[in-house]
């Protein structure tokens, strides 16, 4: 969609970006390593490499998931290198990519990419932005956050010039959905983009677009065709391994069926299997040529150079998780495998990279758990490490770790067990979650499992649990990990890894839909470990990218009122408050918690106090609620001015703290902070006085107690310990006291029917968490 511009206007727009057209550094072709890092992160289950170091994931997340930072030109260069354009429908059809690019060139253009998840819609958007950047149509590309409202306010668009923006619409969920009027609002958005010579790409899904597209400009969401899986594989392979004979691989009769109808993520999985086999063969061939002794060892261990057909066979087998080969191993024609042998293979698959002595001890522990068999590994009754290593077809590396020559044999072994032994899954998950917690079994082997190794092990186990949870839509693997690592201690190294795992998964396209649903379920559970995980994820990148979703999950957690989670919930409220678009909804929830009897003196009290006072890191300045009052302006769609009715409900929860424990209370600090603000800024005095007066203006026993409590706090504010006296403070305190007396006298002339409620402020309780004006 475009807005017309005269040549003079266009020339003016070109010159208004900071005084003239800005220059940007030229970015050359990306290195194969950069391409591989992006690809590894795109295939979530392949992101953990190098003993758990999340190399690829870090690269992509740092470049694309910060809603405030520009999209890295280096990242866009990778996209440009690997992107495969949609294939034309017929020989006379023009390129849908070029047509979309042409539609984005005029200032103010908006393009809607209307596609399901995991079909290449995001990389298409990045490819378009990369071309606009290369052609100097834009100087910068940025992601935009939709915010917490159902409407996308036009003023949320930054004031930058010559920018290309990417906006992903949040999926509809429960009581939240993007407004039906979004399509019609694109005209207004386009006009604002045009004034700054910017462009916008919107990502949505077919079912959502059908609902919100009414009134959208014609042609804003064109049909963009589809990309052939073979083209995707070819571009990624050549970008990472230029010397690879791609046609030989992709046109092989056994490989072609693996590409048919596959999603981009599945294609990338196949790409990395091919690359692993190709590179492994290159290394083996070089070793055989340069070092005869190592070549002899490779032959002895079964890792000698493979023919091309053998490499293809390995890729095909790995794609089917080696099920046939694993069956032959588990059920040999002669003899049978012992449970210790089976469990050693399983332990080696899970603990890959750990010293073999540690794997040996953990295999014995797993056997005892699964089979109730006492395995004596301290003496020589059981087969030793060498026998067990050869039994499972592994080899010992120089650092004492085990390695398998078949690609993804370890992952396939875990999957085989999971499918083959369904009744043993819970016991296995319990052992799995405890593996990085208790590493004492390695002491007898005189091997040290230090903190870094334990973190790496935890990262691998977490990735396995995530992969299984997402693939099979079962939360048990992640639930077991969260519970075990929470019990280990939230101040220790494993808990942050669990939170980071969930946070990253909640914003990754391959896992986000399931993780969002799982977090919503956990928010209603009474398990403190699950609730805390939800709150911390809502405070992280998930909360910044999907703020409205985070708010609903926090609301469900708060409804439980669990004491172990309240402080974390308080921190989450402060973090989310920084997003101006969610303040109305967030404040409504806080007021709702304050007005509900079940949560008033727990979650309500703590979260309202967090917004009514300054945090320790922000000792100076106004507290968040009063700052919002001063920031509000009538011409800004994002600003929100907390209403006195909602403030009164919150203040009554603080006033009830008078009967609490001795010592400094949050009530005292809040009163001091608000009176200080009224003293410094005269514009705030009406809000402060109206709020405090109405908070204590109730009938019944609470009325006198509230007024006396407020008067006492005000007296301490005037001349308490560490608070010097001043005449200005005396005048303000006297004015507040006179106002309270005036309200008290007015009550004597007020009929009981017209009197305010003496309960928790029924007349101030919000409707659906938002009526707080």
């Amino acid at each position: 969609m475009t807005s017309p511009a005269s040549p003079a206007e266009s020339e003016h727009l070109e010159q208004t970006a900071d005084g003239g057209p800005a220059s940007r550094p030229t970015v050359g072709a990306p290195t194969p390593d950069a391409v591989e890092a992006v690809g590894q992160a795109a295939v979530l289950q392949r992101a953990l490499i190098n003993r758990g170091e999340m190399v690829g994931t870090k690269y992509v997340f740092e470049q694309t998931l910060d809603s405030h930072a520009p999209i890295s030109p280096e990242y866009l260069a990778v996209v440009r290198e690997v992107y495969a354009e949609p294939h034309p429908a017929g020989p006379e059809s023009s390129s849908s990519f070029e047509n979309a690019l042409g539609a984005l060139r005029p200032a103010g253009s908006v393009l809607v990419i209307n596609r399901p998840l995991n079909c290449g819609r995001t990389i298409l958007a990045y490819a378009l932005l990369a071309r606009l950047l290369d052609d100097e149509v834009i100087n910068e590309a940025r992601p935009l956050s939709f915010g917490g409202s159902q409407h996308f306010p036009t003023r949320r668009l930054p004031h930058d010039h010559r920018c290309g923006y990417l906006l992903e619409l949040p999926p509809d969920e429960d009581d939240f959905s993007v407004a039906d009027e979004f399509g019609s609002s694109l005209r207004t958005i386009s006009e604002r983009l045009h004034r700054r010579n910017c462009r916008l790409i919107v990502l949505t899904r077919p079912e959502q677009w059908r609902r919100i597209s009414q009134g959208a400009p014609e042609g804003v969401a064109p049909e963009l065709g589809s990309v052939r899986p073979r083209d995707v594989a070819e571009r990624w392979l050549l970008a990472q391994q230029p010397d690879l004979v791609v046609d030989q691989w992709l046109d092989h009769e056994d490989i072609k069926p693996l590409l048919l109808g596959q999603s981009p993520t599945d294609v990338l999985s196949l790409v990395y299997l091919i690359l692993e086999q190709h590179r492994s063969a290159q290394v083996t061939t070089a070793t055989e040529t340069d070092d005869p002794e190592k070549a002899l060892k490779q032959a002895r261990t079964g890792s000698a150079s493979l023919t091309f057909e053998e490499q293809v066979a390995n890729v095909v087998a790995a794609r089917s998780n080696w099920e046939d080969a694993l069956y032959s191993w588990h059920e040999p024609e002669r003899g049978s495998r012992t449970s210790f042998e089976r469990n050693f293979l399983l332990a080696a698959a899970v603990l890959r990279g750990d010293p073999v002595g540690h794997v040996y001890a953990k295999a014995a522990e797993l056997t005892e758990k699964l089979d109730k068999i006492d395995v004596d590994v301290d003496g020589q009754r059981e087969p030793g490490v060498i026998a067990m290593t050869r039994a499972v077809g592994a080899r010992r590396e120089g650092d004492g770790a085990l390695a398998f020559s078949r690609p993804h044999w370890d992952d396939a072994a875990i999957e085989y067990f999971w499918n083959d032994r369904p009744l043993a899954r819970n016991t296995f998950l319990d052992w799995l979650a405890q593996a990085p917690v208790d590493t004492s079994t390695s002491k007898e082997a005189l091997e040290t499992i230090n903190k870094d190794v334990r973190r790496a092990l935890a990262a691998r186990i977490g990735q396995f649990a995530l992969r299984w949870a997402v693939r099979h839509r079962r939360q048990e693997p992640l639930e077991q990990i969260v519970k075990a690592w929470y019990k280990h201690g939230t101040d220790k190294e494993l808990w942050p890894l669990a939170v980071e795992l969930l946070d990253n998964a909640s914003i990754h396209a391959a896992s986000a839909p399931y993780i969002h649903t799982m977090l919503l379920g956990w928010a209603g559970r009474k398990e403190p470990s699950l609730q805390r995980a939800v709150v911390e994820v809502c405070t992280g990148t998930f909360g910044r990218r999907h703020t409205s979703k985070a708010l609903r999950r926090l609301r469900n957690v708060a409804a439980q009122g669990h004491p172990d989670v309240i402080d974390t919930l308080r921190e989450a409220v402060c973090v989310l408050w920084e997003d101006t678009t969610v303040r109305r909804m967030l404040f409504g929830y806080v007021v709702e918690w304050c007005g509900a009897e079940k949560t008033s003196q727990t979650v309500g009290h703590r979260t309202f106090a967090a917004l009514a006072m300054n945090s320790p890191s922000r000792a100076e300045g106004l507290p968040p609620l009063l700052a919002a009052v001063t920031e509000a302006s009538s011409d800004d769609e994002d600003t929100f001015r907390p209403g006195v009715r909602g403030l009164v409900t919150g203040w009554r929860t603080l006033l009830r703290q008078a009967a609490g424990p001795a010592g400094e209370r949050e009530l005292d600090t809040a009163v001091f902070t608000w009176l200080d603000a009224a003293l410094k800024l005269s514009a705030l005095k009406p809000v402060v006085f109206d709020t405090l007066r109405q908070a204590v203006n109730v009938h019944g026993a609470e009325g006198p107690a509230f007024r006396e409590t407020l008067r006492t706090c005000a007296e301490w504010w005037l001349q308490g310990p560490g608070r010097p006296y001043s005449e200005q403070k005396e005048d303000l305190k006297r004015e507040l006291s006179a106002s309270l007396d005036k309200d008290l006298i007015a009550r004597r002339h007020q009929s009981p029917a017209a009197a305010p409620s003496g309960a928790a402020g029924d007349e101030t309780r919000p409707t659906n968490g938002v009526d707080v004006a």
Side-chain angles (χ1 to χ4, degrees), residues 118-155:
N118 200 21
C119 66
R121 64 176 194 164
T122 305
I123 195 170
L124 168 59
Y126 284 136
L128 290 168
L129 291 172
R131 278 289 299 275
L132 292 176
L133 199 64
D134 287 345
D135 296 345
E136 298 186 349
V137 176
I138 59 175
N139 292 327
E140 194 174 66
R142 283 179 175 270
L144 287 179
S145 172
F146 188 85
S149 170
Q150 291 181 310
H151 301 270
F152 180 76
T154 57
R155 293 186 64 87

Side-chain angles (χ1 to χ4, degrees), residues 24 98 133 176 213 261 322 498 679:
R24 62 177 182 83
E98 291 297 333
L133 199 64
F176 175 86
S213 61
W322 293 100
L679 187 65

Side-chain angles (χ1 to χ4, degrees), residues 535-720:
V535 174
E536 293 198 28
V537 170
C538 289
T539 312
T541 310
F542 170 72
R544 296 194 298 273
R545 291 293 299 272
H546 302 284
T547 315
S548 56
K549 283 191 170 189
L551 283 175
R552 289 188 293 281
R553 283 149 184 76
L554 292 180
R555 177 192 60 188
N556 292 353
V557 169
Q560 307 298 321
H562 201 289
D564 292 349
V565 187
I566 290 177
D567 285 340
T568 310
L569 186 62
R570 171 186 174 128
E571 295 170 9
V573 166
C574 292
V575 170
L576 294 180
W577 184 264
E578 296 302 315
D579 186 341
T580 57
T581 67
V582 306
R583 288 180 181 176
R584 183 181 303 277
M585 185 184 298
L586 178 58
F587 184 63
Y589 288 159
V590 171
V591 172
E592 185 177 335
W593 301 334
C594 290
E597 182 177 354
K598 180 179 178 181
T599 56
S600 174
Q601 290 305 300
T602 54
V603 174
H605 174 100
R606 296 287 287 158
T607 55
F608 182 81
L611 297 178
M613 304 185 307
N614 280 323
S615 64
S617 60
R618 179 184 169 181
E620 300 298 328
L622 295 173
L625 288 175
L626 291 180
V629 172
T630 62
E631 293 169 1
S633 59
S634 59
D635 63 339
D636 193 336
E637 302 171 31
D638 281 356
T639 55
F640 165 67
R641 182 186 180 97
V644 171
R645 290 176 59 195
L647 294 173
V648 167
T649 302
W651 266 97
R652 286 176 179 167
T653 66
L654 299 184
L655 288 165
R656 291 188 182 93
Q657 195 187 34
E664 184 175 359
R665 302 164 301 180
E666 288 180 320
L667 169 64
D668 301 322
T669 306
V671 171
F672 297 167
T673 303
W674 282 51
L675 293 182
D676 283 339
L679 187 65
K680 293 178 182 177
L681 293 175
S682 58
L684 283 176
K685 190 170 76 170
V687 175
V688 173
F689 273 33
D690 286 352
T691 300
L692 296 180
R693 288 172 62 182
Q694 292 187 37
V696 302
N697 192 20
V698 295
H699 273 303
E702 280 192 324
F706 281 177
R707 279 189 294 274
E708 184 61 27
T709 298
L710 181 58
R711 292 180 193 274
T712 302
C713 291
E715 183 63 32
W716 277 81
W717 170 75
L718 175 62
Q719 50 187 356

Side-chain angles (χ1 to χ4, degrees), residues 10 36 47 49 55 60 68 174 211 241 245 281 305 344 408 419 559 573-574 584 656 659 676 690 737:
S10 298
E36 184 159 358
I49 56 176
V55 178
V60 166
H68 303 290
D174 293 341
R211 181 178 60 80
Q241 198 72 40
V245 184
S305 179
F344 187 86
H408 301 270
N419 293 327
V573 166
C574 292
R584 183 181 303 277
R656 291 188 182 93
D676 283 339
D690 286 352
S737 184

